[in-house]
Amino acid sequence: MDNLDPQLLARALDVSAVGVIILDSDLRIHFWNDWMEKGSRLLAPKVLGHSLLEVFPELRATRITKAVETALHSGLPTMLSHRLTPTPFPLYTASEMTRAEARMSQMVLIKAIRDAHDARFCLIQIQDITNTVSRENILRNQANELKIAKESAQDASKAKSDFLANMSHEIRTPMNAIIGMSHLALKTELTPRQRDYITKVHTSAQSLLGIINDILDFSKIEAGKLTMESVPFYLEDVLNNVGNLIALKAEEQGLEVNFSVALDVPLNLLGDPLRLGQILINLTNNAVKFTREGNIIVRIGIEKLEEYRVTLHFEVQDSGIGMTPEQMGRLFTAFTQADSSTTRKFGGTGLGLTICKRLVEMMQGRIWVESSANEGSTFHFTAIFAIKNKDRRRFRLPSRDLVGTRVLVADDNPVAREILQKSFESFSFQVTCVASGEEALFEMERAHARHNPYKMVFLDWKMRELDGIHTAREIARRFPGCKIPRIVMVSAYAREDIKLASEGAGVDAYLTKPINLSVLFETVLSILHQDFSTSRAHASPDESGRSGPRMDWRGVRVLLVEDNEINQQVARELLEEEGVVVSIADNGQEAVDAVGAASFDLVLMDVQMPVMDGYAATRAIRALPELGDLPIIAMTANAMAGDREKCISYGMNDHISKPIDPPVMFATMARHLKLCELTPEPAGTEGPAPPADELPAALDGIDITAGLRNVNGNRKLYRKVLKDVHDRFADVIARLRDALRTGAMDVALRLSHTFKGVAGTIGAMELHRLAAHLEEALKENHRDLVPDRLERLEPEVTRVMTALAGLADTPRETPAMPPRSGPVDQERLLTILLELEALLADGDSDAMERIDQARQWMGHDMMADAMQALTECVEDYEFEEAQRILQPILAELRANRDGGADE
Amino acid sequence: MFFLTEMEEDALKEFFNMGLGMAAASLSQMVNNEVLLSLPQLKVVPYDEATRMLVANDEEQLVAIRQNFSGELTGTSLLIFPGAESLELVRTLLNEQMPLEVLMELEQETLQDVGNVVLNAFLESFTQMMSIQFEFEAAEFLKGSGAFLLDITSHLAAQRLAMQEEANEENERAFVLMMDFKTHDEEDAQHTLSGFVVLLFSQPSMEILKRELKTILGAF
């Protein structure tokens, strides 16, 4: 190395791929390689011996010069980067471009070196990084464009979500009115034609809502906002819901739907029942849509059973138009349908299967289809559920004697036969299945001849040749007398229709397909005259809000905050129907004022309102110290993911979405209130007294079913109402006549109005109609029509009152409701009575309702006389007298309350 | 065990801070934005403890600028950043509008430039306060785990001239300094980033350093 020729070293530096300059301590250039000659376009002889600053005056006082000085002075090296060196060497790349464009991007390294005599020199090395710089510029520009594109895509997607949320709100608000009003309208008296129209309006609105929900679900899936619940549920409840929803449609098309649940399938599960139902409804709806005749079978079996979880395999099989392999390939993609022509033929959004696929995936399952054109399709999916309770539900027969009961099943549908056979076998009955009415008759003859007759016969209504009804008639003809077995008619059609068609055929009971195992069991037992109520081994899952016990809503005070008048009406009437005392606030500000002025058990809060919205109102209410735990439930029409979270973050307790689904609303409210169950008390707990809910099987002029429906099926209450009607209105005709004679038209009008309402409530439909006619005549001031209408009303009054007279025999007993007491009740009572006071001042006969409510809230000994006097006054429309009676009661209550507060 | 007295340590810190003040001034000029550098912590620890301090997370990719020196004083200086912080530092310093996901080539180069300025400030402190001769190598850019960055043998390989005789890890001493960069972006939001400065000295170098410090302190 020592012998290396200096010429050689200089040559090596000359041809090196970087620029090399060597300066002495006076910055004089001692070396200038070839690379520098090219880059600077200055030849070595011109620069050697000159100062660097002489050659490049622009470098004076720049980083480069400073670095050179540092190196020469303290030996420290400097590396100068392109970005942090604003003034580099004036060097140019070899190109055709102008000087400015051809400027070379550089990285410069400046170091100190020493010669043999220990004298310091400065070595400058320059690297051409022009290519790197331009490459990175391109990359940066591309990244920038990508970023802009991504942002605008996100903006567009956000705009889409916002649009969906807004549209959802806009659509749901009127939908709430349509669904709610038609729901309410269906509870009024309607001509069959009107009922048909309104029913169709209601159904169409529901299906429109379904489409809107699909679109929303899809947008949630796109946004990754779809969530799954994990709650205990009962598989059969899900199937019942699906059955109820699908049966009507299937029936319209003459299709039969059958559920076949393998007997080892655990039924008590943990998961999202609503989403599971949604998948099944979607698949069965499709099946119905694409099937013209035949049947639809929903099968559920176990794919894999582990200790704590089960993988269920669901199949929905139809006998419809089927699909080609190409069509199947496109099936689970959004916005596509098997065949574009079916879009027109069958309608639909094409989102259903996409949603199903996503839901199934969220249940850790998969979905697929087997199909061939014109031979029907079978949709399969699997889903994993945790097992809540491993015990299979067993149907325990109330008596050993029933084991081996002989049952005959006649159905031309092999699947339906098989399902019934398995079901009966699970009850430990002895089953024989046949495929037609003729075979059934033949089999019965045979059994009869062997003195081993069947106890029960299950006949499918629609069988080829000999249908169920004819078979039943034939059975009645051939086996007269006591040997006739019990006959159950099974059909995919609504009960009422078959009932009508099979009148006189000797049918004991009716069952609707798809058959629910529990219903089947109960039907069997009831027709065998067995008490079945205690033999059911299963209990409903603990938290199934929908099928939970009926709650007692009477006297619960709810503040309804809602700006839309129609929605106010829908919600108010739904609530009042259950006995809830409803107050209304038109906006958030009114709500805040209202909760300050009176006490409420719960607030239903619309979110979007003028003056003050629901969020602000909630915050204001929560700021009031004593109202920190007043339950506030938001009602939003958005139903977008995040609504609930947002409501809760603003201090609300829960959230329901519009359109209001009454069971959901009540279940949600019930979660936040302490309510009594409204179950008829089990027989026996009432002591020796005869059961108070004893109702006659029929009452002349009264549709008991309709009447019971109006009181939510509470038989005790119904009986009390019937008696009250008799007590209060037996002399209604006389009172009307009196009023008319004395010219007190307003009294007559009020009385006829009240009476009309009462008649409707108890299910006295004809009476209701006639009373309405009278009221109309009075209201329109058609005095000429009044006597005639009164005349026509009278015999109906007599008829109904005679029927009710039988009930009124028992002495006027204590109120049907157990008396309640305690400070809370006093508070409620006071609220009710204050409302009563206002009604009395207005001379409003609705006052009667408040009196009845008040009675529910006071002990029966408490001011009983005063209340009775009040009732009589109101009945006689002596409102001023009633007000006088009320005053001392109010005074006493106020005194009690204030006294209580002092303690 | 500790071999610098409190006074010596303070003196050293004082020198470093002076150097850093100058480095901050030139950085501020370079990036046209005020840059403040400070040294909240200085520790002299054995080599293995320094390793422990830095190698808390084996997985993390660190970025470092290294400058070796040799002569009467032999050792290595390192400016170490967690990977993400180095990226942020460059971008704040350059007021970069369009950050990319990784440290690009030119950004590495910029970081190397900045690191060079900072390390020079430390090394210059030594050259200014001591009458000793040493040579510096150019700054290098390194990327890897903490263990890799502090690997003695890699430094030794780089310093083949001076250190073969005393390659005993036990005797290696390290200064570990926490260093904060403060700057603000165009919206005037403050950015503070922390890095480590590690100065590794061979045992004989450490002795020389101590001797020199004594001399300086004696002069006051």
Side-chain angles (χ1 to χ4, degrees):
Chain A
M1 193 166 111
D2 296 334
N3 305 327
L4 208 58
D5 177 6
Q7 189 101 39
L8 187 65
L9 283 174
R11 193 64 208 135
L13 281 178
D14 259 346
V15 299
S16 127
V18 295
V20 178
I21 309 171
I22 297 175
L23 305 175
D24 65 15
S25 52
D26 296 325
L27 306 189
R28 273 199 302 271
I29 299 170
H30 280 239
F31 187 82
W32 188 265
N33 74 346
D34 288 1
W35 191 97
M36 281 305 298
E37 287 187 334
K38 282 184 206 146
S40 66
R41 296 166 194 182
L42 295 169
L43 296 178
K46 285 199 92 176
V47 297
L48 289 177
H50 295 272
S51 157
L52 181 71
L53 296 177
E54 209 178 298
V55 177
F56 297 128
E58 57 265 65
L59 291 182
R60 196 177 296 275
T62 60
R63 274 196 81 198
I64 290 179
T65 316
K66 276 187 206 156
V68 168
E69 280 159 1
T70 306
L72 289 170
H73 186 246
S74 59
L76 286 162
T78 307
M79 183 244 149
L80 296 109
S81 64
H82 162 71
R83 291 294 304 269
L84 295 179
T85 312
T87 316
F89 287 96
L91 303 177
Y92 303 91
T93 55
S95 76
E96 285 185 335
M97 291 179 288
T98 61
R99 268 173 94 86
E101 283 167 340
R103 267 191 105 93
M104 185 195 289
S105 303
Q106 308 151 31
M107 186 180 84
V108 180
L109 200 65
I110 298 179
K111 284 192 69 175
I113 48 175
R114 285 172 198 268
D115 70 358
H117 316 288
D118 219 21
R120 252 194 194 137
F121 285 80
C122 176
L123 170 70
I124 303 175
Q125 287 165 291
I126 305 164
Q127 254 185 57
D128 179 358
I129 56 163
T130 312
N131 286 340
T132 312
V133 171
S134 59
R135 199 165 56 233
E136 284 197 17
N137 275 338
I138 292 167
L139 207 62
R140 241 165 243 284
N141 288 338
Q142 282 176 347
N144 199 22
E145 279 162 22
L146 271 178
K147 189 181 156 210
I148 291 166
K150 191 179 160 197
E151 277 167 1
S152 72
Q154 280 168 340
D155 286 350
S157 157
K158 170 127 192 351
K160 191 177 80 177
S161 316
D162 290 350
F163 173 76
L164 280 172
N166 283 334
M167 281 327 282
S168 151
H169 178 86
E170 295 301 326
I171 296 169
R172 273 161 191 273
T173 306
M175 287 296 289
N176 186 41
I178 298 169
I179 292 175
M181 289 299 179
S182 48
H183 177 92
L184 290 169
L186 283 171
K187 296 197 162 195
T188 61
E189 195 198 356
L190 295 170
T191 66
R193 187 191 233 183
Q194 288 168 335
R195 184 164 293 278
D196 178 54
Y197 290 166
I198 303 280
T199 307
K200 281 174 182 159
V201 168
H202 194 248
T203 320
S204 306
Q206 296 277 14
S207 75
L208 177 54
L209 185 62
I211 293 169
I212 296 168
N213 287 340
D214 265 5
I215 295 172
L216 274 180
D217 269 352
F218 181 73
S219 68
K220 278 192 218 165
I221 287 172
E222 277 209 315
K225 283 179 181 162
L226 199 74
T227 51
M228 281 280 150
E229 273 196 323
S230 180
V231 297
F233 72 98
Y234 204 62
L235 186 58
E236 232 175 42
D237 290 343
V238 174
L239 294 181
N240 279 349
N241 276 338
V242 176
N244 289 340
L245 277 165
I246 217 70
L248 198 72
K249 274 190 196 144
E251 182 195 325
E252 280 165 7
Q253 281 180 243
L255 302 171
E256 199 173 295
V257 181
N258 282 298
F259 288 161
S260 171
V261 184
L263 287 172
D264 54 351
V265 169
L267 299 175
N268 221 339
L269 303 171
L270 267 177
D272 195 328
L274 293 180
R275 295 298 187 186
L276 174 61
Q278 192 181 350
I279 302 169
L280 285 169
I281 288 165
N282 212 308
L283 296 181
T284 44
N285 256 332
N286 274 350
V288 170
K289 200 156 85 179
F290 296 109
T291 306
R292 295 234 186 70
E293 57 178 343
N295 50 99
I296 289 153
I297 306 157
V298 179
R299 284 197 189 83
I300 305 178
I302 290 183
E303 186 172 273
K304 190 174 166 202
L305 182 65
E306 291 159 86
E307 195 177 354
Y308 296 111
R309 61 179 203 171
V310 62
T311 310
L312 293 181
H313 179 183
F314 298 79
E315 275 175 61
V316 178
Q317 184 189 335
D318 66 45
S319 54
I321 57 172
M323 282 172 287
T324 63
E326 298 82 62
Q327 291 172 331
M328 284 190 273
R330 293 198 299 267
L331 211 53
F332 294 102
T333 320
F335 306 112
T336 63
Q337 295 186 314
D339 179 4
S340 57
S341 75
T342 59
T343 308
R344 283 184 293 278
K345 207 152 136 199
F346 295 101
T349 56
L351 291 176
L353 287 176
T354 317
I355 295 169
C356 285
K357 181 163 185 275
R358 184 70 198 120
L359 291 175
V360 164
E361 283 163 1
M362 289 179 79
M363 295 181 182
Q364 298 159 274
R366 57 208 176 86
I367 186 166
W368 69 99
V369 61
E370 287 166 2
S371 179
S372 47
N374 301 319
E375 281 176 30
S377 315
T378 305
F379 281 85
H380 299 259
F381 72 94
T382 60
I384 295 182
F385 298 97
I387 300 171
K388 177 86 195 310
N389 184 350
K390 289 197 91 157
D391 297 338
R392 270 287 309 190
R393 175 154 53 127
R394 280 193 300 275
F395 292 94
R396 216 176 297 138
L397 291 168
S399 157
R400 284 191 152 273
D401 302 344
L402 292 174
V403 173
T405 299
R406 279 170 59 75
V407 179
L408 179 63
V409 172
D411 197 319
D412 59 346
N413 178 350
V415 179
R417 270 203 312 271
E418 190 194 322
I419 291 167
L420 274 176
Q421 173 163 17
K422 282 193 178 144
S423 306
F424 286 130
E425 280 168 2
S426 76
F427 302 163
S428 36
F429 287 177
Q430 208 185 322
V431 203
T432 309
C433 290
V434 295
S436 69
E438 290 88 343
E439 285 175 66
L441 290 170
F442 176 74
E443 177 59 31
M444 285 183 66
E445 297 262 13
R446 215 165 58 112
H448 197 243
R450 289 186 189 165
H451 302 288
N452 191 10
Y454 287 99
K455 274 230 174 85
M456 278 181 289
V457 181
F458 285 75
L459 297 172
D460 181 32
W461 181 29
K462 276 188 106 183
M463 284 186 288
R464 264 162 264 139
E465 293 168 30
L466 199 57
D467 69 21
I469 294 167
H470 285 103
T471 312
R473 292 224 167 88
E474 196 57 22
I475 291 171
R477 198 181 63 77
R478 290 196 201 178
F479 307 97
C482 59
K483 288 279 165 69
I484 290 184
R486 296 289 169 178
I487 296 176
V488 179
M489 192 66 70
V490 185
S491 135
Y493 297 81
R495 277 168 93 87
E496 277 62 35
D497 295 349
I498 355 170
K499 250 188 189 164
L500 215 66
S502 57
E503 208 161 321
V507 176
D508 295 275
Y510 301 88
L511 276 175
T512 311
K513 289 178 187 177
I515 291 169
N516 171 316
L517 206 58
S518 313
V519 172
L520 177 66
F521 188 65
E522 282 164 20
T523 307
V524 164
L525 290 183
S526 71
I527 62 175
L528 288 173
H529 293 295
Q530 300 288 340
D531 180 5
F532 56 88
S533 61
T534 51
S535 61
R536 284 184 66 173
H538 100 276
S540 292
D542 340 344
E543 285 164 46
S544 73
R546 281 177 167 269
S547 58
R550 293 190 57 87
M551 294 296 172
D552 183 2
W553 293 95
R554 284 168 294 173
V556 172
R557 292 153 310 165
V558 169
L559 177 65
L560 174 67
V561 191
E562 165 72 66
D563 62 317
N564 181 311
E565 266 181 50
I566 300 175
N567 286 343
Q568 273 179 11
Q569 188 191 349
V570 170
R572 191 184 63 221
E573 293 195 17
L574 284 171
L575 290 165
E576 285 182 344
E577 212 176 306
E578 295 285 329
V580 174
V581 181
V582 183
S583 305
I584 307 256
D586 283 325
N587 60 52
Q589 186 55 52
E590 284 185 22
V592 176
D593 298 343
V595 296
S599 77
F600 294 95
D601 299 311
L602 187 139
V603 178
L604 283 173
M605 181 80 79
D606 186 20
V607 168
Q608 297 193 352
M609 286 179 295
V611 187
M612 182 192 269
D613 71 17
Y615 297 125
T618 303
R619 249 189 322 225
I621 291 172
R622 289 293 183 238
L624 303 172
E626 67 275 24
L627 294 176
D629 48 4
L630 172 66
I632 300 177
I633 295 174
M635 299 186 289
T636 64
N638 295 354
M640 285 294 279
D643 272 7
R644 201 185 133 83
E645 287 72 13
K646 190 175 179 192
C647 293
I648 286 168
S649 76
Y650 275 90
M652 302 190 196
N653 300 67
D654 218 322
H655 159 266
I656 52 180
S657 67
K658 289 184 197 166
I660 289 167
D661 179 2
V664 172
M665 176 178 74
F666 283 110
T668 308
M669 286 168 61
R671 276 204 291 277
H672 300 282
L673 291 170
K674 286 191 184 101
L675 294 170
C676 308
E677 283 186 22
L678 187 72
T679 40
E681 278 157 34
T685 58
E686 288 213 332
D693 63 343
E694 204 178 288
L695 276 174
L699 285 167
D700 202 14
I702 294 178
D703 179 347
I704 295 185
T705 320
L708 269 173
R709 201 165 45 227
N710 291 339
V711 292
N712 275 317
N714 184 335
R715 299 174 76 85
K716 267 164 87 172
L717 180 66
Y718 185 48
R719 190 183 147 88
K720 179 190 178 297
V721 171
L722 289 175
K723 274 186 293 189
D724 282 355
V725 169
H726 183 266
D727 294 349
R728 283 169 52 190
F729 293 103
D731 58 348
V732 68
I733 295 288
R735 272 151 65 193
L736 282 167
R737 288 227 165 87
D738 277 354
L740 291 174
R741 197 176 49 243
T742 56
M745 297 306 282
D746 54 333
V747 173
L749 176 60
R750 253 184 260 137
L751 186 55
S752 64
H753 172 82
T754 313
F755 187 60
K756 176 200 72 178
V758 162
T761 305
I762 61 171
M765 291 313 178
E766 185 61 14
L767 195 61
H768 174 83
R769 195 177 64 81
L770 294 168
H773 278 191
L774 176 64
E775 185 198 356
E776 196 186 314
L778 287 165
K779 201 190 261 168
E780 313 274 318
N781 222 356
H782 290 311
R783 285 175 188 247
D784 48 329
L785 293 176
V786 170
D788 177 45
R789 295 197 172 173
L790 187 61
E791 204 73 23
R792 276 197 273 161
L793 179 62
E794 187 167 11
E796 189 63 22
V797 171
T798 316
R799 177 176 163 217
V800 170
M801 291 301 164
T802 314
L804 294 181
L807 288 169
D809 286 344
T810 44
R812 203 181 169 89
E813 80 311 21
T814 55
M817 282 301 305
R820 312 183 198 198
S821 58
V824 181
D825 300 354
Q826 298 257 342
E827 201 47 34
R828 285 193 179 181
L829 186 55
L830 187 59
T831 314
I832 294 165
L833 290 180
L834 286 172
E835 285 166 1
L836 172 60
E837 188 182 28
L839 289 171
L840 290 176
D842 291 342
D844 191 330
S845 55
D846 284 352
M848 203 60 217
E849 289 170 26
R850 291 294 182 274
I851 296 179
D852 286 347
Q853 279 173 359
R855 280 186 152 174
Q856 289 165 14
W857 289 101
M858 47 176 59
H860 50 275
D861 54 339
M862 191 175 144
M863 295 172 268
D865 293 343
M867 290 310 285
Q868 184 58 39
L870 258 183
T871 311
E872 281 164 19
C873 286
V874 173
E875 274 171 8
D876 297 338
Y877 299 96
E878 306 209 313
F879 292 106
E880 282 171 26
E881 177 61 22
Q883 278 175 282
R884 269 195 297 282
I885 299 170
L886 185 61
Q887 284 317 315
I889 303 179
L890 279 173
E892 190 180 336
L893 276 172
R894 283 202 183 97
N896 281 352
R897 183 191 59 181
D898 297 339
D902 287 343
E903 281 163 21
Chain B
M1 186 76 196
F2 261 143
F3 91 157
L4 285 187
T5 65
E6 202 177 314
M7 217 174 173
E8 290 165 341
E9 226 177 88
D10 282 352
L12 205 53
K13 225 171 165 175
E14 198 56 41
F15 275 115
F16 286 158
N17 270 322
M18 272 159 55
L20 273 184
M22 279 155 62
S26 47
L27 274 180
S28 301
Q29 221 177 355
M30 278 158 65
V31 300
N32 224 340
N33 189 350
E34 194 184 17
V35 179
L36 297 169
L37 301 177
S38 59
L39 267 188
Q41 261 190 50
L42 181 146
K43 270 185 181 163
V44 183
V45 294
Y47 167 77
D48 52 348
E49 198 180 326
T51 317
R52 266 204 305 282
M53 286 175 72
L54 285 171
V55 193
N57 182 356
D58 273 348
E59 298 301 309
E60 193 179 15
Q61 283 279 310
L62 302 174
V63 167
I65 312 301
R66 177 170 74 183
Q67 251 178 295
N68 297 322
F69 47 90
S70 56
E72 275 186 82
L73 271 185
T74 296
T76 290
S77 60
L78 284 156
L79 175 62
I80 303 176
F81 291 104
E85 292 216 354
S86 57
L87 199 61
E88 204 183 324
L89 176 71
V90 175
R91 282 167 193 171
T92 319
L93 288 178
L94 295 181
N95 232 329
E96 188 65 74
Q97 295 301 311
M98 207 13 261
L100 295 170
E101 299 300 311
V102 290
L103 204 57
M104 302 295 291
E105 203 177 323
L106 291 181
E107 288 170 334
Q108 282 188 18
E109 197 193 283
T110 308
L111 194 65
Q112 200 175 339
D113 193 341
V114 170
N116 186 190
V117 170
V118 171
L119 291 176
N120 272 359
F122 284 93
L123 299 175
E124 195 157 21
S125 316
F126 289 111
T127 62
Q128 282 181 346
M129 69 182 171
M130 294 165 195
S131 56
I132 38 177
Q133 291 292 319
F134 50 148
E135 300 285 320
F136 305 96
E137 291 180 19
E140 306 163 86
F141 182 89
L142 300 175
K143 199 169 173 183
S145 66
F148 163 77
L149 296 181
L150 287 183
D151 185 14
I152 293 274
T153 52
S154 88
H155 302 306
L156 296 183
Q159 296 163 52
R160 62 209 180 283
L161 280 174
M163 283 179 70
Q164 307 110 324
E165 67 286 5
E166 291 277 348
N168 184 351
E169 288 193 14
E170 301 233 331
N171 294 330
E172 295 281 335
R173 291 281 165 173
F175 286 88
V176 177
L177 307 119
M178 273 283 278
M179 158 140 181
D180 285 346
F181 289 80
K182 267 202 191 90
T183 184
H184 40 80
D185 59 25
E186 56 180 4
E187 277 102 38
D188 249 21
Q190 282 277 340
H191 288 265
T192 302
L193 294 145
S194 295
F196 278 102
V197 175
V198 179
L199 301 169
L200 284 167
F201 289 95
S202 66
Q203 184 64 24
S205 301
M206 219 45 166
E207 301 292 343
I208 297 168
L209 188 62
K210 198 170 163 64
R211 191 193 67 211
E212 288 289 322
L213 273 171
K214 263 197 184 123
T215 318
I216 294 161
L217 287 170
F220 286 101

